[in-house]
Amino acid sequence: MRFSEEKTFKFGFYCLNALICIYSLYMFVIQKGASNESEILFCSTFVVDAIMYYLKRKN
């Protein structure tokens, strides 16, 4: 991957992570406490991080 492609790729993953985290917080506030949906969404941010780490190490 070229440098600009890599930066775009990382930016996309970081944006995806941020959106999932914000939506998870939104679900937490709307439901006035912890719920399964918000916890699952928040945990999915770690999955996205793991995928990004794997792809980074692969290159």
Side-chain angles (χ1 to χ4, degrees), residues 4-23:
S4 62
E5 289 176 354
E6 183 178 342
K7 283 180 79 173
T8 304
F9 187 70
K10 284 182 184 179
F11 181 72
F13 264 109
Y14 288 132
C15 286
L16 176 65
N17 238 2
L19 287 174
I20 291 172
C21 197
I22 290 169
Y23 187 69

Side-chain angles (χ1 to χ4, degrees), residues 38-51:
S38 66
E39 290 176 7
I40 289 170
L41 282 170
F42 185 72
C43 290
S44 69
T45 61
F46 296 109
V47 172
V48 171
D49 281 339
I51 291 170

Side-chain angles (χ1 to χ4, degrees), residues 25-41:
L25 182 62
Y26 170 76
M27 293 287 290
F28 181 81
V29 169
I30 290 297
Q31 296 181 357
K32 295 179 177 47
S35 70
N36 289 338
E37 293 87 9
S38 66
E39 290 176 7
I40 289 170
L41 282 170

